[in-house]
Amino acid sequence: MLFKTDAEKAFGVETYLSPEMDAAIKLWQQLESGNPPWVEGDTRTIRFSNTVARELSKLITQNIDIKVQAKYGTGDTAARIQKAIDGYFLKNAQEIVGNQIMLGGVMAKWNGKGMDYIPPDRFLVTEHDSNGDINGAIFLSYYQKENKFYTRAEWHRFEDGTTQNETGEMVSVHRYRVSNKAFVSDQQDQIGRQISLKNTKWADIVPEFTAENLEKPLFVYIKNPYSNTIDPDSPLGVSCFSECIEELRWLDIAMSTMGVETEDSAPKMIVGQSAIQYAETHGIKLPRLVLKEIGADDLDGGKPFEQWQPQLQVASRTEGINFYLNIISAKVGLDTGTFVFNGQKVVVATATQIEATERKTINTMMMYRQVLDRPESNGDGRVGVIHDIAYIINAMEVINGDIAPSEFGNYELYADFGDPFSNKEEDKFFELQLANQGYMAKWRFNVRHLGLTEEEAKKMVQEAVEERNANQPEERLFGEE
């Protein structure tokens, strides 16, 4: 819905959403929902963009591990942030990054209990800096009750002002302000008239809220790491598929054409005009596979009918489909050959196969991971979306009174992205050799590969040693261990 003009009037503010970006976002959402504009007649869609987004997001988030620990003291601030990160990011990390890939970006925002990840058709940017970082936005929420349609507009921004300090002097202050307004309409496509929040399901939300000493907004835009060639002035990101929309259309046409040919590949019967007239005169219904429209007076050799077997163009169709798959792969930052059509289905390259390529896929994966976590440009600490989410969680718990103000910032976050191309079986065999040759403790091998605790693993090894020594005292199965 996104009532842009109405939201601007309600708050007296300008928003940054050009017609070009609005149209592009709608198109990306059509791709995601399996309803692109070229689906008509015999042309269907295989929703290949969703396949790419799913596989790429799997690579980006695979083996991700986030740990939060306290900087000082024994409070539970770090544990609370850890729980929120686990429940509101890690649990759905692949889906969150998949939506980022498809839609150019999603907005992470506190919802009162945890984090929401909001698509670009449910927020409007009101302020951004020269780096494209969004500092102000209006978020739109909707629900329907009976025949009424309700909308809540929530405007986040920083405001500069003055306040009187303890000594009576006027000093500058940088406040963070959130304003909420509710609307009701009889029509789904209209925002309607403004009403009190107390008359909606948002009755527990205050109309105005302010906070001080915040360095960042209470939301963060998870933006695709691509240049916006649709609207270079927009702070919004572009879909991973923004440069290959036409190729996705061609791929759907190629797959649909092959599908139609397959459906029509059953043997056909070409019937001459005399046979058709005879059938019509005597009320005979011709079989479905008869090509009645041929209507020849008589076929070659005076036959009243002739059998025809359509020829499938599997080789040429497969070659064309793989051509489009490779173009799409290259344009979204994946190695050619990542997706291959074998005549029956699209096969995705394994992690080992990807690792052996020219590493374009790996570079793209790392580019997305750096959106989530990367070194600070000055070399002091780390930054990224994951750190911003932790900041929002920590700030909101202080604001809500769940933790003391002194606990604000009392945490350190570490994000580890494991190697998605590691082969567990190969690693297990290699470490087994290390353990057998005495370069790794056997209990450690059991912990790493059998899922045992350190205590259980050491007990297991000790029991094996004692049993072996009891049966063959002269031998030592585990040497000195």
Side-chain angles (χ1 to χ4, degrees), residues 68-72 77-78 81 213 215 390-398 403-413:
V68 185
Q69 65 182 38
K71 286 183 178 179
Y72 51 83
T77 297
I81 295 175
N213 302 318
E215 299 175 359
Y391 178 90
I392 294 169
I393 294 169
N394 186 217
M396 287 307 304
E397 290 199 325
V398 172
I403 59 176
S406 60
E407 285 294 299
F408 184 57
N410 182 19
Y411 68 92
E412 292 178 321
L413 185 149

Side-chain angles (χ1 to χ4, degrees), residues 217-480:
L218 297 176
F219 60 83
V220 58
Y221 183 52
I222 310 175
K223 184 178 180 179
N224 258 6
Y226 298 109
S227 298
N228 188 334
T229 56
I230 296 173
D231 181 3
D233 295 326
S234 173
L236 299 176
V238 295
S239 170
C240 177
F241 306 101
S242 63
E243 300 290 341
C244 59
I245 298 297
E246 194 66 12
E247 287 82 355
L248 289 169
R249 184 177 74 89
W250 292 340
L251 177 63
D252 278 341
I253 292 173
M255 292 293 287
S256 297
T257 301
M258 190 170 187
V260 171
E261 288 180 353
T262 302
E263 288 182 349
D264 293 342
S265 63
K268 301 292 190 299
M269 194 72 70
I270 302 176
V271 179
Q273 186 65 41
S274 59
I276 293 174
Q277 291 177 347
Y278 180 86
E280 292 176 348
T281 302
H282 292 81
I284 300 173
K285 184 178 180 180
L286 292 173
R288 183 174 63 87
L289 298 179
V290 168
L291 297 179
K292 294 180 290 185
E293 64 273 15
I294 297 298
D297 187 26
D298 271 314
L299 302 175
D300 292 342
K303 300 177 183 177
F305 60 86
E306 182 177 295
Q307 187 171 356
W308 174 60
Q309 175 67 58
Q311 297 297 314
L312 288 176
Q313 303 179 53
V314 175
S316 60
R317 296 294 184 201
T318 300
E319 182 179 348
I321 289 169
N322 281 317
F323 173 74
Y324 297 133
L325 290 176
N326 282 334
I327 293 180
I328 293 170
S329 295
K331 285 196 169 186
V332 301
L334 304 178
D335 290 300
T336 55
T338 300
F339 301 95
V340 178
F341 181 63
N342 63 10
Q344 296 180 329
K345 61 182 179 180
V346 176
V347 180
V348 183
T350 65
T352 303
Q353 290 170 328
I354 291 174
E355 189 179 26
T357 64
E358 298 174 358
R359 300 185 67 83
K360 188 173 184 179
T361 299
I362 298 176
N363 291 338
T364 298
M365 177 194 71
M366 296 303 297
M367 186 169 63
Y368 272 95
R369 286 185 171 183
Q370 288 176 357
V371 173
L372 302 177
D373 172 75
R374 63 187 180 277
E376 176 66 273
S377 57
N378 60 12
D380 183 20
R382 301 188 69 83
V383 295
V385 165
I386 295 173
H387 301 270
D388 292 333
I389 291 174
Y391 178 90
I392 294 169
I393 294 169
N394 186 217
M396 287 307 304
E397 290 199 325
V398 172
I399 291 170
N400 292 335
D402 296 325
I403 59 176
S406 60
E407 285 294 299
F408 184 57
N410 182 19
Y411 68 92
E412 292 178 321
L413 185 149
Y414 303 92
D416 178 47
F417 295 87
D419 182 3
F421 306 109
S422 63
N423 187 307
K424 292 184 178 180
E425 290 303 315
E426 289 180 1
D427 293 345
K428 181 178 179 180
F429 179 73
F430 175 70
E431 293 192 0
L432 177 61
Q433 289 180 313
L434 292 179
N436 287 336
Q437 295 172 11
Y439 294 105
M440 173 187 283
K442 291 181 175 61
W443 68 263
R444 188 178 299 279
F445 175 86
N446 291 346
V447 169
R448 290 172 60 84
H449 298 286
L450 298 183
L452 302 178
T453 65
E454 181 176 334
E455 181 181 356
E456 292 170 339
K458 288 182 176 180
K459 182 179 179 181
M460 181 178 178
V461 171
Q462 184 59 36
E463 288 174 350
V465 170
E466 291 174 356
E467 181 179 349
R468 182 71 173 180
N469 291 344
N471 294 333
Q472 298 180 20
E474 71 282 1
E475 297 183 15
R476 295 294 182 269
L477 177 62
F478 293 145
E480 296 302 319

Side-chain angles (χ1 to χ4, degrees), residues 29 103 105-107 117-123:
Q29 290 178 320
L103 303 175
V106 293
M107 191 76 84
Y117 297 90
I118 303 167
D121 66 335
R122 287 181 176 256
F123 68 85

Side-chain angles (χ1 to χ4, degrees), residues 107-121:
M107 191 76 84
K109 184 182 77 71
W110 184 263
N111 63 12
K113 297 180 180 179
M115 301 299 298
D116 280 338
Y117 297 90
I118 303 167
D121 66 335

Side-chain angles (χ1 to χ4, degrees), residues 62 157 159 228:
Q62 189 172 343
R157 74 279 191 192
E159 293 181 346
N228 188 334

